[in-house]
Amino acid sequence: MTVVLRSLSALDLPVLEQLHRESFPEDPWSARSFGELLALPNTGGLLVQANMDPLGLLLWRVMADEAEILTLCVRPPARRRHVAQTLLARAMDTFPKAGAHRLFLEVAEDNAAARALYKGLGFCEVGRRRAYYRRPGGMKTDALLLEVMLTDE
Ligand SMILES: CC(C)(COP(=O)(O)OP(=O)(O)OC[C@H]1O[C@@H](n2cnc3c(N)ncnc32)[C@H](O)[C@@H]1OP(=O)(O)O)[C@@H](O)C(=O)NCCC(=O)NCCS
């Protein structure tokens, strides 16, 4: 199996919508939303494919000396094969070249898989938004703001 990471383009919009819906069925992003984000000058992303089949995506923005992960997802059948880790490691390598010294993201407190992934990459909790994400049955869960330093500066 040949795994390839490549930059997102406007041609990927339907695939991005499909990948996002599979991982976030309760709040999927449309192809149009992805297109509007990717049209911004400070936004970029990666798609990972195996034998041309899309496995996952990562979208980010860089503002001044900070980068932010906007969304990340891996198709359920492709999980636990270090796809997300590879995507993030590649992106974290490139952010300092764009001037970013630190990376932020938000994760739901009840998202154990994502929190374990980010912990393994060195992220630390630096903030919290109470009851930020809605859950079935009227429940809510906090959003954790995580940060990792990308350089020594
Ligand atoms: C979170 C997500 C992106 C992880 O993708 P993935 O490709 O399966 O993750 P990786 O295989 O790169 O995992 C790397 C490490 O993270 C941790 N991890 C990942 N998934 C885990 C899980 N379900 N349970 C426990 N630890 C997990 C492990 O330490 C893992 O390393 P290991 O397999 O050697 O133990 C994926 O589960 C997903 O798309 N979830 C739905 C969308 C989502 O929650 N996105 C993030 C929003 S902030």
Side-chain angles (χ1 to χ4, degrees):
M1 183 170 74
T2 313
V3 174
V4 177
L5 272 66
R6 64 168 178 78
S7 297
L8 296 180
S9 82
L11 295 176
D12 297 317
L13 298 180
V15 167
L16 302 182
E17 179 178 293
Q18 190 185 333
L19 285 171
H20 204 268
R21 182 177 292 114
E22 223 177 337
S23 283
F24 300 100
E26 71 290 350
D27 189 19
W29 292 7
S30 65
R32 182 179 178 158
S33 305
F34 275 106
E36 287 170 357
L37 281 170
L38 282 169
L40 299 173
N42 58 351
T43 306
L46 286 169
L47 183 72
V48 57
Q49 294 174 299
N51 301 330
M52 300 302 287
D53 291 330
L55 300 184
L57 71 92
L58 176 64
L59 192 72
W60 65 77
R61 74 171 150 224
V62 178
M63 293 174 72
D65 65 344
E66 293 177 357
E68 181 188 3
I69 299 300
L70 300 178
T71 194
L72 162 68
C73 59
V74 174
R75 296 192 63 214
R79 290 181 187 165
R80 294 310 290 264
R81 286 197 264 152
H82 293 171
V83 172
Q85 202 175 63
T86 304
L87 278 167
L88 281 165
R90 172 77 66 87
M92 287 165 70
D93 203 36
T94 63
F95 293 144
K97 293 169 196 153
H101 300 306
R102 60 184 73 197
L103 173 62
F104 290 96
L105 58 81
E106 276 182 353
V107 61
E109 186 170 33
D110 62 359
N111 190 342
R115 289 182 65 190
L117 166 72
Y118 301 136
K119 187 175 180 192
L121 288 164
F123 282 83
C124 295
E125 186 180 327
V126 293
R128 175 182 290 262
R129 291 175 201 254
R130 301 260 171 218
Y132 187 71
Y133 296 106
R134 261 175 280 176
R135 292 294 181 251
M139 303 290 285
K140 292 188 174 176
T141 189
D142 291 356
L144 306 179
L145 179 64
L146 306 187
E147 175 192 22
V148 67
M149 299 306 295
L150 299 166
T151 68
D152 294 334
E153 290 180 43

